[in-house]
Amino acid sequence: MNPKVNIVVVVDVIGALSDGTLLNGNLCMIDDGEQSTGQGTPELCTVVRPGQVVTWSALAVDLQTPVEIKGITFLGADAEDGDAEATDAGAGAGAGADGRNGQSGQNGRGGRNGHGPERHNPELEVWSGVVPQLAPGVAHQYRLEVQMYEGEHSTLHIASPALMCQ
């Protein structure tokens, strides 16, 4: 098994914002794991092992619509529809204080080469964490929250994906 597994979250931003949901075909998740199930669906269950690094990144179907992962929160065993208390913040080794491990586009000079404001590029942001000791064979669901544009209804979440230790 590889020392790292990559999870890609693909979002139809226009569809998600129009429908007000990440369901209805507006989100699919894929990984490069060997035994994962639910590939291409919001119900992806990624098979991992303790100590393995997991990285999450988001891509928009339409390249002109921004999307980024706003949060990943692991849910307790009694979680239903993502409304339970979080048991793990999801930010692991190598991640920044907010769980992100990537470049923010800031260079300390106000923009690229000191000329004008730097544009935020969510494709450069990757969330990562190290898999702790988990009960084998148990799906550990997490709440995946994505941010699209700005505004009152621009953040949506699902609580159906999971990690499962062998």
Side-chain angles (χ1 to χ4, degrees):
M1 185 174 274
N2 289 334
K4 178 178 174 182
V5 63
N6 300 293
I7 300 173
V8 179
V9 180
V10 182
V11 181
D12 177 355
V13 174
I14 296 170
L17 291 173
S18 297
D19 295 347
T21 182
L22 293 171
L23 300 176
N24 303 335
N26 295 324
L27 178 136
C28 71
M29 298 178 69
I30 54 175
D31 68 31
D32 58 1
E34 298 169 5
Q35 300 174 351
S36 301
T37 60
Q39 293 278 2
T41 72
E43 290 82 29
L44 177 68
C45 184
T46 303
V47 176
V48 295
R49 63 177 161 69
Q52 189 173 31
V53 175
V54 180
T55 63
W56 289 264
S57 58
L59 296 173
V61 172
D62 177 357
L63 298 178
Q64 296 180 350
T65 53
V67 63
E68 64 183 56
I69 297 172
K70 185 174 182 182
I72 297 171
T73 307
F74 284 85
L75 307 173
D78 56 351
E80 287 186 27
D81 298 325
D83 295 327
E85 290 262 336
T87 57
D88 181 6
D98 61 358
R100 290 184 246 193
N101 183 16
Q103 301 174 7
S104 66
Q106 303 273 339
N107 64 11
R109 291 185 287 176
R112 183 176 293 133
N113 299 324
H115 301 288
E118 182 74 30
R119 288 189 52 138
H120 177 70
N121 190 347
E123 285 78 26
L124 294 177
E125 295 181 359
V126 172
W127 285 64
S128 66
V130 176
V131 178
Q133 265 317 55
L134 299 172
V138 176
H140 299 275
Q141 286 189 304
Y142 57 91
R143 175 185 166 124
L144 174 71
E145 195 172 12
V146 296
Q147 175 80 41
M148 304 160 286
Y149 292 109
E150 295 177 3
E152 185 178 346
H153 302 288
S154 63
T155 302
L156 297 172
H157 73 275
I158 57 167
S160 52
L163 297 182
M164 182 168 59
C165 276
Q166 286 185 322

